[in-house]
Amino acid sequence: MRSHAVETPRVPGHDGAMRTAPGVPPWLAFADRALGLLVAVPAALLVLAEVVLLFWGVCARYAFHDPLVWGDELAAILFLWLAMTGAATALHRSAHMRMTALVNRASDDWRQRWDTVALVATMVFLGLIALPAYAYLKQQWMIVTPALEINDAWRVISILYATGCMLLMCLVKLLARGWRAALAGIVVSAVVVIGLELAGPVLQSLGNLNLLIFFVGVVGFTVLSGMPIAFSFGLAVFSYLALSTAMPLEIVVSRMDEGMSQLLLLAVPMFVFLGLLIEMTGMARAMIGFLASLLGHVRGGLSYVLVGAMYLVSGISGSKAADMAAVAPILFPEMKQRGEKPGELVALLSATGAQTETVPPSIVLITIGSVTGVSISALFTGGLLPGFVLAFALCMLVWWRSRARAPLSATRAGAGVIGKAFIAAIPALALPLVIRFAVVEGIATATEVSTVGIVYAALAGIFIYRRFDLRRLGPMLVETAALSGAILIIIGTATAMAWALTQSGFSHSLATFMEGLPGGAIGFMAVSIVMFVVLGSVLEGIPAIVLFGPLLFPIAREVGIHEVHYAMVVILSMGLGLFSPPFGVGYYGACAVSKIHPDEGVKPIIGYMIALLIGIVVIAAVPWISTGFLPTR
């Protein structure tokens, strides 16, 4: 799942743009490039180091029966560095999740103003968090790791390093707008901070009304202004604790560290990298070629191939952007030649993105398991059939829409062609089985198994498909780090926000309200579907899961809903919101991948969204679809 609301404030300097922007002083362009290298190079090397370390751990334990007792400890240290340098790389490369639907509708002048507001708000958060990060670093200075016996400060200092780099990046980008914009931004920031500080005594007297002010007002304003969602959450929780409570502010950094440092989440960068690798090695093309040889000659045949290909590729990569980027460029040219309208193509691509949210190893599945305590293996097992049910619903709609079309000119592939395509696709089709076998047989954990897939894909690319471009390896590592950092820092700041909401008593009030809904489990499930469709369109899946998962999953258990069943309904509901226009940012990601204007897909996508909603209702009504293949307790 790549972050679809991607873009930091649109200023010169992302991916080298500042170096060629007119009117930007050379020293600013140099500073921008230097700051990018200071985070991107170590981030890429850390991804590679984690792959090597995890795979080495698998080999040491399973092949040589000599486990690395210090392996998890070193992986945890490197992981926080990867998360923070990756987040800084994402800021430099415009890869943070943002809500840009409203900002993009503004005129150019107002868009620039809102971008400046978002940039300044990001600077405010980074500046305010620096001192608490230093205080937290001093707290961790006395802690020594048990296996490696090194100071935990070497892990935590990554937060301070990345925060400093990101703050300098924002300052460089603000200066690149001109001294007037920079001065105005600094003055506005100072006024806001001073105003809030002066309002502190009043805010402390308001009690839980502050939840509305900070977690609705501040979050709503900053998210709608285009501020990266991660920093919006962080600014809200920091302001809430600083101005309306007496709690030490190091707690914000501590909770961010807790959220980002769960080793289960190390699967996120590993599966992102695997997704990029299968596209680079040609494995995705081989799978799609086989499906096209089977169905390409029937009415709507390539649409069925698109649905099936997204299901298969998603089961390997876990990254929605990687899925769409692997499938669309291969199928869309031929589909257009056969008369498919561009709007229909992007609508179906978006629908398949929502359909495959539960197909393992989905990053959302990994996230939901890490924050709610649900077994990731159970989620992986339970996610296959719900994705298939939605695929069937989409295929039924494809059949209905294509039933009256004239016969296609494409000829049926012969047995020989299908056989050759199948043989070529066997290594690619076997990859999900290899991953599943490694987990079931105890060869690797859910975190480590991604490295087994990476090594398998690399060997298949080198020796079978003869496609392994070493020149692309560096950019792939950087892209993996940036995307992973954008995801992980959202988990960190959302964890801090969820903690603040829990401490305020909001979680207890929410639980009481949800438990009191009429209809028991049915009413709770219906409200959850509606709520997560809305949250999916506004916040995307991961922030919504981290915020509300720990609050709602215990309630689901209380009303008798199986946690895996509830997880599937929640994830698919968020996927429906994520890929539904006008606010669903995943839809715009599909448009960007397919290079089709968003307006063309708005009308065709309505039918697909209705089909998905019907499928979600069926999955919610029939728990067996999600739990039927789970081992009995």
Side-chain angles (χ1 to χ4, degrees), residues 443-477:
I443 298 173
T445 66
T447 303
E448 296 168 333
V449 73
S450 53
T451 62
V452 175
I454 288 170
V455 172
Y456 177 92
L459 293 175
I462 294 170
F463 296 108
I464 299 176
Y465 295 106
R466 305 294 179 89
R467 287 186 59 187
F468 195 91
D469 189 351
L470 285 175
R471 293 171 298 181
R472 293 182 58 186
L473 194 58
M476 285 167 54
L477 291 170

Side-chain angles (χ1 to χ4, degrees), residues 137-509:
L137 173 65
K138 290 197 296 183
Q139 289 179 8
Q140 300 301 108
W141 193 263
M142 304 302 295
I143 298 176
V144 176
T145 61
L148 294 174
E149 296 185 347
I150 64 175
N151 198 299
D152 192 53
W154 291 109
R155 181 184 66 87
V156 175
I157 200 173
S158 61
I159 300 175
L160 201 58
Y161 174 79
T163 299
C165 289
M166 288 190 283
L167 188 58
L168 290 173
M169 287 176 191
C170 291
L171 180 60
V172 167
K173 297 178 193 312
L174 188 60
L175 291 172
R177 292 178 174 274
W179 68 269
R180 290 184 178 178
L183 182 61
I186 294 171
V187 169
V188 169
S189 302
V191 169
V192 170
V193 171
I194 293 172
L196 288 173
E197 188 68 29
L198 293 175
V202 177
L203 292 172
Q204 290 182 10
S205 67
L206 296 179
N208 279 347
L209 186 59
N210 286 302
L211 298 177
L212 190 65
I213 294 172
F214 290 101
F215 297 137
V216 177
V218 173
V219 170
F221 175 78
T222 52
V223 167
L224 292 176
S225 72
M227 182 180 180
I229 293 173
F231 303 137
S232 176
F233 285 0
L235 182 61
V237 70
F238 187 93
S239 303
Y240 170 74
L241 292 179
L243 299 173
S244 64
T245 73
M247 295 181 183
L249 298 179
E250 303 91 84
I251 290 178
V252 179
V253 185
S254 171
R255 296 299 166 176
M256 287 175 60
D257 179 17
E258 179 187 348
M260 292 185 290
S261 296
Q262 301 177 66
L263 270 184
L264 281 174
L265 293 173
L266 187 51
V268 172
M270 298 299 100
F271 277 116
V272 169
F273 183 63
L274 176 58
L276 297 174
L277 196 60
I278 66 164
E279 187 276 327
M280 187 256 277
T281 56
M283 298 179 74
R285 182 177 291 271
M287 284 189 289
I288 295 169
F290 169 61
L291 292 174
S293 69
L294 287 175
L295 298 171
H297 62 283
V298 302
R299 290 185 177 91
L302 291 184
S303 296
Y304 300 130
V305 172
L306 176 59
V307 175
M310 284 291 288
Y311 187 92
L312 289 175
V313 173
S314 180
I316 297 173
S317 73
S319 167
K320 286 292 160 285
D323 302 343
M324 293 188 292
V327 172
I330 298 172
L331 286 178
F332 278 18
E334 178 65 21
M335 294 176 79
K336 288 178 180 178
Q337 288 184 9
R338 298 190 183 192
E340 293 284 2
K341 297 179 180 178
E344 187 76 22
L345 297 182
V346 75
L348 182 56
L349 183 64
S350 297
T352 56
Q355 162 226 329
T356 54
E357 286 281 58
T358 64
V359 178
S362 163
I363 291 172
V364 180
L365 287 179
I366 297 169
T367 303
I368 207 170
S370 69
V371 301
T372 63
V374 182
S375 166
I376 291 182
S377 297
L379 291 171
F380 278 14
T381 301
L384 288 168
L385 194 53
F388 182 80
V389 169
L390 294 194
F392 179 78
L394 292 178
C395 287
M396 288 297 96
L397 183 58
V398 168
W399 171 80
W400 178 263
R401 288 185 171 181
S402 60
R403 72 193 190 285
R405 293 180 186 172
L408 301 174
S409 59
T411 57
R412 181 191 298 267
V417 173
I418 295 175
K420 289 180 180 179
F422 175 67
I423 292 172
I426 286 176
L429 294 172
L431 180 52
L433 301 178
V434 170
I435 291 175
R436 174 80 177 160
F437 176 81
V439 174
V440 172
E441 295 299 318
I443 298 173
T445 66
T447 303
E448 296 168 333
V449 73
S450 53
T451 62
V452 175
I454 288 170
V455 172
Y456 177 92
L459 293 175
I462 294 170
F463 296 108
I464 299 176
Y465 295 106
R466 305 294 179 89
R467 287 186 59 187
F468 195 91
D469 189 351
L470 285 175
R471 293 171 298 181
R472 293 182 58 186
L473 194 58
M476 285 167 54
L477 291 170
V478 173
E479 184 175 351
T480 298
L483 175 55
S484 303
I487 292 171
L488 293 168
I489 197 165
I490 277 190
I491 293 175
T493 54
T495 299
M497 184 183 289
W499 176 85
L501 289 170
T502 301
Q503 293 299 309
S504 70
F506 172 78
S507 59
H508 177 73
S509 301

Side-chain angles (χ1 to χ4, degrees), residues 36-48:
L37 291 174
L38 280 174
V39 291
V41 172
L45 292 176
L46 285 163
V47 174
L48 189 60

